[in-house]
Amino acid sequence: MHRSPEGPAPLPADVRAYLDELVRRTRAVCGPHLVSVLTVGSIALGDYRQGRSDIDVMVVVAPTLPGPALTGLAGALAHPALPCPATGLELVVHDRDAVGRPSGGAGYLLDLNTGPLLPNRASFDPARSPAFWYVLDRSIARQAGRPLFGAPAEQVIAAPADADLLAALRASVREHSDGEGHLADNRVLNGCRSVVFCRTGRWTAKRAAARDVSASEAGFRPVVEAALAGFERPRGAAVTLPRADVRAFLDWVRERVDATGSLRR
């Protein structure tokens, strides 16, 4: 697993306690059908930022899990029934048999978004969600997911095929180029992470990826450094970045992704 040079900062105590309670409630609802609970996203990559990062969790269950349990799990974990100490919780539940095969689809059983700065949303229909988010999350989980309960990620999650992963990266860049609903600094840092992944075949934390791009691409250094500085601020105090500079950078990111022939290193 990639770590930033200074190593990952310890998780705040309230986040650790929250994850413990999340696992306890998930086990209570899913019982023997629960296979794994994994952290993904910034926690898995060692770059969680209090006041900025979400808590990203992936749950893998056996296909024998009764359908009503998913509704029960959404209720048990929703904020404020379980108060989220981060900006929000993004939790996805997958069927073990489905997630154990390479796939370019969303393929979830439950997608739960909840928390102080996220609108409560519980989706049980993967056809209603853009697939690329879930393909990228499964790729990150396969490489870096931290087990909170049960089997490790590499035993239960299949790596997406190159073609599906490249398609997901392209879709992610398009999403962030449009900018709707995304902070400017996060759009830039996500672009940096996509570029470094295309170069190395490994997922890195956003800030580490941005430092790599800043060092290698002098022409984009000002916008990347501005994004890094902005990312240090809480989400509610985010600063704007020059729209033209952000768009030019993301156009360059899209070209780098399009030029990638293979992600296997």
Side-chain angles (χ1 to χ4, degrees), residues 14 28 46 79 92-93 105 112 119 145 157 211 229 231 237 239:
D14 58 349
H79 178 89
V92 180
V93 180
L112 175 66
I157 300 172
R211 288 191 288 267
F231 196 69
V239 298

Side-chain angles (χ1 to χ4, degrees), residues 49 52 185-186 189 206-207 227-233:
R49 291 274 300 128
R52 173 54 79 118
D185 53 21
N186 199 46
L189 298 190
K206 293 175 184 176
R207 290 187 293 174
L228 276 168
F231 196 69
E232 297 301 320
R233 300 168 65 94

Side-chain angles (χ1 to χ4, degrees), residues 70-118:
L70 295 169
T71 303
L73 184 62
L77 302 182
H79 178 89
L82 175 58
C84 181
T87 57
L89 168 69
E90 296 185 353
L91 178 138
V92 180
V93 180
H94 285 289
D95 178 319
R96 177 189 59 202
D97 290 354
V99 83
R101 299 187 297 269
S103 171
Y108 59 78
L109 299 175
L110 166 65
D111 179 17
L112 175 66
N113 285 0
T114 188
L117 297 182
L118 286 183

